[in-house]
Amino acid sequence: MENKNKKTCYVTTPIYYASGNVHIGNSYSTIVCDVFARYNRLKGIDTFFLTGMDEHGQKIEEAAKKAGKSPQEMVNDIAKSTKELWKNLNITNDDFIQTSEIRHTEVVQQLFEKMLKNKDIYLGYYEGDYCVACEAYFTKTQVGEECICPDCGKPTRKVKEESYFLNLKKYSNRLLKYIEENPDFIQPESRKNEVVSFIEQGLEDLCVSRTSFKWGIPVLSNPRHVIYVWIDALCNYITALGYGSKDETLYNKFWLNGDEVVHVVGKDILRFHAIYWPIILMALDIPIKFKLYAHGWVLMKEGKMSKSVGNIIYPLDVTKRYGLDPLRYYLTREMPLGNDCLFSYDRFIERYNTDLANDLGNLLSRTIAMINKYFDGVVIKPKEKSDTFATELENLSKEVINNYNENFSNFRFQNGLTEVWSLISRANKYIDETTPWILAKDEDKKAELNSVMYHLYEVLRLVAIMVMPVMPDTSKIMFEEMGVLPENQAFDSLEYGKTSDVKVVTKPIVLFKRLDLVEEQKYHQEKNVAKKEEAPTKNEISIEDFSKIDLRVAEVIEASKMEGSDKLLILKVKIDDKPRQIISGISEFYAPLDLVGKKIVVVANLKPVKIRGHLSEGMILTASSSKNSLEVIQILKENNFAKIS
Ligand code: ME8
């Protein structure tokens, strides 16, 4: 339900790791938050929109060392370029927090001390496997014999250190009760169920300090320890509002007494926000004011974007060629709340041509051209009653406005935009039904023709208002082209029939120039080849090194997905008629059935290991192809089971 009494809104993005360039995946989180913030502001709701950078941790310390900079220098450089990027993407954040800022670090130290004092945090020992890339500890079962991180696939490190622990167990029942009593706390529903079953399996106390590196916030009473990066990071949502500082005005207004607090997170970090963050707040006796919107991932056809596959798309790659609003539109239109969406240039161009160039762009240019041709650019509000088609259009507008508001206030932008486009389509159909070019031939039909122009104009005006949060520049151009009076551009004029007499521009511009799919495909292919050529090869190895590898042809007999893993497949293969099992991280690139019956190449003398409890006796050879995908190397010749190395 839309909360009509809402007066304030606080919306936050995840704070991004300061370890590299922000790609279209992270930009998605920021763009949807911007859409939400703009929408709320346009509705007259006092809105505070926060984003920022997560700057501490071993990964960042190591990246800085590699770059020959101090960690502080490196994170400042990255924060600077990220701020610049958000400006380029028309992001309207009210603040940008860096977790290395004193306004944050000092408060986090105090909060940690408070939890220590209240015995919610205690000192103990941690022994286990640690993944630097994910900044997380894993159990033996999770990393297997091979000590591989179950999340990112990189090797983990053995560590034993004195650590502080956050008592999660103490709060797990209270948290479950909170989730039950607040049905909209975690959205969408499917994600909430995941969280509940995770808590029900039993929470282990969380290790919340490190002694193995320095780049973090020191524990005030024991500075040998730095505070675990997730406690540090999560607290940004309140430190940025001045909580614990001399001036808590923003905290009081937007959190404590605020009407709506929304944390937008990717599904990968839901657990941290849905379990650790509310427990930290309970321990600190701060009210849990927020709700969570967990969105899916922007995926490439090969799976997730990754540097090693070479399929990362940066937002400026897209906006430099196609403009900003088409990217903002594509991302908000394609991603249903909670699910993943695919980014491909083919799909992007299809949406651009269909929705923007054909449906919206044409409706605007045709309407303006007709108003000029038949009425010298002037639109006059008709006095007589509307015809049946117009009544239908008017009724649909009312319905669309309601549904749009309902969807946009609940973060369902895809549905909201689908509604808007249904109105655009109806208006295009209205032109065909009313045939203005025939009406124009009959002097007696002048009033009827004027009415048709008026109705088209009104639909376009409403559309320009509704797309404002998503495509602010486009909406501005539409208002200019149509000569919409300032008072009729505002959200409270989102009502059919507000326009009196106006004049449109003489010559309409092309809002979105149609793209040639073949030409664009050629452009991206050439760009990809150039990118590939730039990619550095790994260090050289000698022929002796290579000859140690025993490569064999194997036939895949069975293949299945490993339960609980997005990446791993379990393959049963036959080498010289002897069966073997091999675990391979190719699930994002191949469906199991694609592989059965294929002859492939296997490293046969790799030491057997257990991966997530499954024995793996070898490795399947794959290579990256020019299409940025990972491909299994396949044998063409039939019945060839000879050793090939
Ligand atoms: O996790 N599609 O930072 P991070 C959609 N610092 N969204 C994506 C995405 C993709 N392909 N890839 C990333 C962190 N994201 C922590 C957060 S918050 C207190 C600390 C988005 O730089 C998504 O929202 O890895 C994900 O949760 C966020 O970027 C993670 O960014």
Side-chain angles (χ1 to χ4, degrees):
M1 276 296 286
E2 198 195 336
N3 175 3
K4 300 231 159 108
N5 299 320
K6 185 169 89 178
K7 290 201 177 53
T8 70
C9 171
Y10 175 39
V11 55
T12 67
T13 71
I15 48 170
Y16 304 106
Y17 283 130
S19 49
N21 284 340
V22 171
H23 52 62
I24 55 160
N26 317 96
S27 305
Y28 169 79
S29 299
T30 311
I31 288 174
V32 286
C33 286
D34 185 60
V35 170
F36 192 65
R38 282 175 183 269
Y39 172 76
N40 279 289
R41 286 192 202 111
L42 288 165
K43 296 208 82 174
I45 293 158
D46 200 347
T47 302
F48 195 86
F49 170 18
L50 175 72
T51 186
M53 302 305 287
D54 187 356
E55 304 188 315
H56 290 124
Q58 192 165 8
K59 202 165 39 169
I60 289 162
E61 189 177 77
E62 288 180 0
K65 204 165 158 198
K66 249 193 205 160
K69 295 181 183 176
S70 73
Q72 190 65 63
E73 249 179 305
M74 192 189 81
V75 298
N76 283 349
D77 288 350
I78 292 181
K80 195 167 161 228
S81 61
T82 310
K83 279 184 193 168
E84 197 61 37
L85 173 68
W86 295 151
K87 232 191 254 160
N88 282 323
L89 299 188
N90 234 335
I91 302 298
T92 55
N93 53 302
D94 296 286
D95 197 356
F96 184 99
I97 187 153
Q98 295 181 237
T99 54
S100 63
E101 288 175 82
I102 290 187
R103 63 166 168 156
H104 174 78
T105 54
E106 278 184 356
V107 178
V108 172
Q109 284 181 319
Q110 296 302 340
L111 299 180
F112 197 92
E113 290 303 311
K114 187 172 173 189
M115 288 189 275
L116 253 178
K117 199 167 147 235
N118 293 345
K119 305 210 168 19
D120 287 308
I121 288 180
Y122 60 90
L123 194 59
Y125 263 99
Y126 192 90
E127 194 172 355
D129 296 84
Y130 181 68
C131 174
V132 175
C134 300
E135 312 267 9
Y137 284 101
F138 294 99
T139 60
K140 194 77 237 147
T141 356
Q142 286 174 306
V143 300
E145 295 290 326
E146 221 189 1
C147 298
I148 295 293
C149 169
D151 285 350
C152 72
K154 294 194 176 123
T156 54
R157 292 178 190 176
K158 286 243 170 301
V159 277
K160 178 177 180 185
E161 47 178 344
E162 183 191 73
S163 277
Y164 287 99
F165 288 84
L166 176 65
N167 193 342
L168 297 184
K169 282 191 207 98
K170 175 174 160 191
Y171 291 99
S172 59
N173 283 339
R174 208 171 127 189
L175 180 59
L176 279 173
K177 190 159 172 271
Y178 182 84
I179 297 176
E180 198 191 325
E181 284 169 0
N182 294 275
D184 64 351
F185 174 50
I186 303 167
Q187 294 179 52
E189 181 87 12
S190 54
R191 297 272 167 228
K192 173 178 125 180
N193 301 339
E194 273 170 32
V195 171
V196 169
S197 74
F198 187 82
I199 304 171
E200 281 172 344
Q201 280 165 30
L203 296 178
E204 290 298 321
D205 288 352
L206 179 71
C207 173
V208 291
S209 75
R210 305 283 185 263
T211 50
S212 50
F213 61 93
K214 288 265 162 299
W215 180 239
I217 305 177
V219 173
L220 211 52
S221 54
N222 187 358
R224 220 166 55 76
H225 290 254
V226 293
I227 296 171
Y228 175 48
V229 74
W230 271 101
I231 289 211
D232 165 359
L234 288 163
C235 289
N236 92 88
Y237 300 129
I238 51 173
T239 58
L241 293 180
Y243 176 81
S245 75
K246 279 194 201 111
D247 182 3
E248 292 193 326
T249 319
L250 288 174
Y251 170 77
N252 289 333
K253 177 173 174 186
F254 289 104
W255 189 282
L256 195 61
N257 305 310
D259 291 325
E260 185 177 50
V261 178
V262 171
H263 294 326
V264 176
V265 296
K267 60 181 181 182
D268 48 330
I269 55 170
L270 174 64
R271 207 178 284 171
F272 298 94
H273 285 80
I275 300 175
Y276 304 159
W277 183 221
I279 288 183
I280 293 169
L281 291 171
M282 285 176 193
L284 291 168
D285 213 10
I286 296 174
I288 305 167
K289 295 290 295 209
F290 68 91
K291 55 185 174 187
L292 287 168
Y293 283 112
H295 64 72
W297 282 332
V298 179
L299 294 177
M300 308 306 288
K301 61 182 185 308
E302 308 86 14
K304 269 196 102 176
M305 273 176 270
S306 95
K307 278 202 180 129
S308 54
V309 183
N311 62 352
I312 297 187
I313 295 192
Y314 296 104
L316 298 186
D317 294 343
V318 185
T319 58
K320 277 188 189 145
R321 190 159 178 88
Y322 303 110
L324 171 59
D325 279 358
L327 176 68
R328 290 177 60 108
Y329 174 75
Y330 180 85
L331 292 176
T332 26
R333 176 77 198 252
E334 281 286 291
M335 181 91 98
L337 181 64
N339 295 338
D340 297 334
C341 91
L342 195 69
F343 185 91
S344 78
Y345 277 112
D346 282 4
R347 180 98 186 106
F348 175 84
I349 289 156
E350 190 189 318
R351 272 245 176 258
Y352 179 106
N353 279 341
T354 315
D355 297 6
L356 300 180
N358 287 3
D359 295 350
L360 177 59
N362 271 349
L363 180 64
L364 181 76
S365 57
R366 278 170 95 187
T367 305
I368 291 183
M370 288 191 291
I371 295 172
N372 273 299
K373 188 167 173 195
Y374 305 134
F375 296 101
D376 290 330
V378 178
V379 187
I380 295 172
K381 188 168 185 171
K383 293 192 179 55
E384 65 278 18
K385 236 179 105 30
S386 300
D387 59 79
T388 344
F389 294 136
T391 312
E392 230 182 82
L393 199 59
E394 195 173 334
N395 289 342
L396 180 67
S397 298
K398 282 182 193 148
E399 210 179 289
V400 163
I401 292 169
N402 279 340
N403 294 342
Y404 163 87
N405 278 323
E406 176 69 26
N407 282 309
F408 264 56
S409 38
N410 289 299
F411 232 83
R412 294 189 299 260
F413 306 120
Q414 192 203 32
N415 299 0
L417 288 175
T418 307
E419 290 285 334
V420 177
W421 256 258
S422 74
L423 184 60
I424 295 173
S425 299
R426 186 67 192 83
N428 273 319
K429 195 168 152 219
Y430 178 69
I431 300 180
D432 300 334
E433 287 164 346
T434 51
T435 56
W437 51 93
I438 295 175
L439 296 178
K441 288 185 185 145
D442 188 344
E443 201 43 43
D444 295 342
K445 299 266 169 76
K446 200 105 186 151
E448 203 178 314
L449 182 60
N450 173 63
S451 165
V452 172
M453 293 304 116
Y454 183 83
H455 290 294
L456 289 173
Y457 184 96
E458 267 311 74
V459 165
L460 276 164
R461 185 182 68 83
L462 299 177
V463 167
I465 297 176
M466 288 189 280
V467 299
M468 229 186 306
V470 182
M471 300 198 286
D473 291 342
T474 302
S475 155
K476 206 162 144 225
I477 297 172
M478 287 177 73
F479 289 141
E480 277 163 18
E481 292 280 295
M482 294 161 64
V484 179
L485 301 174
E487 63 268 29
N488 289 340
Q489 299 178 7
F491 241 59
D492 52 15
S493 64
L494 194 52
E495 202 183 297
Y496 209 90
K498 285 261 175 188
T499 299
S500 300
D501 306 347
V502 288
K503 194 166 183 338
V504 301
V505 291
T506 329
K507 213 171 166 327
I509 58 151
V510 178
L511 204 51
F512 299 101
K513 190 168 166 282
R514 250 190 96 76
L515 299 167
D516 183 307
L517 181 63
V518 177
E519 211 174 274
E520 294 308 310
Q521 281 171 336
K522 202 167 147 242
Y523 168 83
H524 289 294
Q525 249 159 25
E526 282 165 9
K527 226 174 134 211
N528 267 345
V529 172
K531 238 202 232 161
K532 276 269 142 189
E533 279 164 3
E534 282 165 20
T537 49
K538 290 188 181 157
N539 289 346
E540 279 179 358
I541 57 163
S542 68
I543 187 74
E544 286 77 31
D545 292 332
F546 184 72
S547 64
K548 289 182 194 155
I549 302 170
D550 187 358
L551 296 176
R552 302 284 181 119
V553 176
E555 184 179 1
V556 182
I557 309 298
E558 268 177 57
S560 57
K561 281 189 161 223
M562 185 187 289
E563 220 168 278
S565 164
D566 293 339
K567 295 200 177 85
L568 301 173
L569 287 184
I570 305 178
L571 303 175
K572 300 263 163 63
V573 302
K574 247 183 3 194
I575 301 178
D576 294 338
D577 275 341
K578 291 199 190 83
R580 279 196 194 205
Q581 174 169 285
I582 297 178
I583 312 297
S584 181
I586 52 173
S587 184
E588 287 166 280
F589 308 99
Y590 287 91
L593 277 180
D594 292 345
L595 295 163
V596 176
K598 297 281 184 313
K599 290 188 182 126
I600 58 172
V601 184
V602 162
V603 179
N605 59 338
L606 198 66
K607 195 171 160 208
V609 285
K610 269 200 169 171
I611 300 178
R612 298 218 184 173
H614 298 267
L615 184 67
S616 185
E617 309 163 279
M619 181 193 277
I620 285 172
L621 287 198
T622 59
S624 346
S625 76
S626 59
K627 287 183 206 136
N628 285 339
S629 131
L630 205 62
E631 302 204 13
V632 170
I633 297 174
Q634 210 186 320
I635 297 295
L636 298 175
K637 215 167 152 190
E638 282 300 306
N639 304 323
N640 184 349
F641 285 85
K643 183 178 170 192
I644 61 162
S645 67

